[in-house]
Amino acid sequence: METYLSKKDKRVIVAVVILSVAIYLFCGLWNKEEGARVVVKVDGNIQGIYSLKEDRTIRVNHGKNIVEIKNGRAVMKEASCPDQLCVHQKGISGMHETIVCLPNKVVIEIEGEEAKTDSTQEIDSVAE
């Protein structure tokens, strides 16, 4: 015996799918900050702070890691660690998203304007 979905069942399924997509999009857009920036830390110390809007390549930890900021996303392009987990992570662009390279003690994090303090000034030089 075959079972069929009633019109009411189909409407509920469509409504749930539309609501799910709307929530996903809303959360994704809310998570992006206009003044977002990439904070690069090595062994807990800030090595550089860069705008997420400006495309650039950053050599970190004496060239052991290479971070690329491109099209509003930051990715770990290269790393000297054996497992390469940081390189295989997806690019980050949302508030408080991170990429971590544990063997090299490198953390890449997205922060926004409201988190800026006097002690974290924009660093334009390449961190090495």
Side-chain angles (χ1 to χ4, degrees), residues 33-127:
E33 281 286 322
E34 188 63 33
R37 59 192 187 272
V38 178
V39 179
V40 178
K41 297 178 186 176
V42 177
D43 202 15
N45 299 313
I46 295 176
Q47 297 297 303
I49 301 173
Y50 308 94
S51 172
L52 196 57
K53 294 179 183 178
E54 185 179 327
D55 292 353
R56 65 175 12 163
T57 301
I58 306 155
R59 297 177 63 81
V60 181
N61 205 9
H62 305 289
K64 292 180 182 177
N65 297 74
I66 297 178
V67 177
E68 182 179 66
I69 302 171
K70 190 173 183 180
N71 299 325
R73 300 185 75 74
V75 296
M76 185 75 72
K77 203 68 172 169
E78 293 180 27
S80 64
C81 57
D83 57 14
Q84 297 288 296
L85 292 175
C86 55
V87 174
H88 297 298
Q89 285 184 313
K90 68 178 183 80
I92 58 174
S93 61
M95 292 295 295
H96 307 295
E97 287 184 327
T98 59
I99 296 175
V100 179
C101 180
L102 283 177
N104 292 332
K105 300 179 182 178
V106 175
V107 176
I108 312 299
E109 183 176 12
I110 306 298
E111 289 185 355
E113 275 306 309
E114 79 281 354
K116 190 171 187 177
T117 64
D118 292 329
S119 64
T120 58
Q121 300 295 322
E122 177 115 10
I123 300 172
D124 288 327
S125 63
V126 174

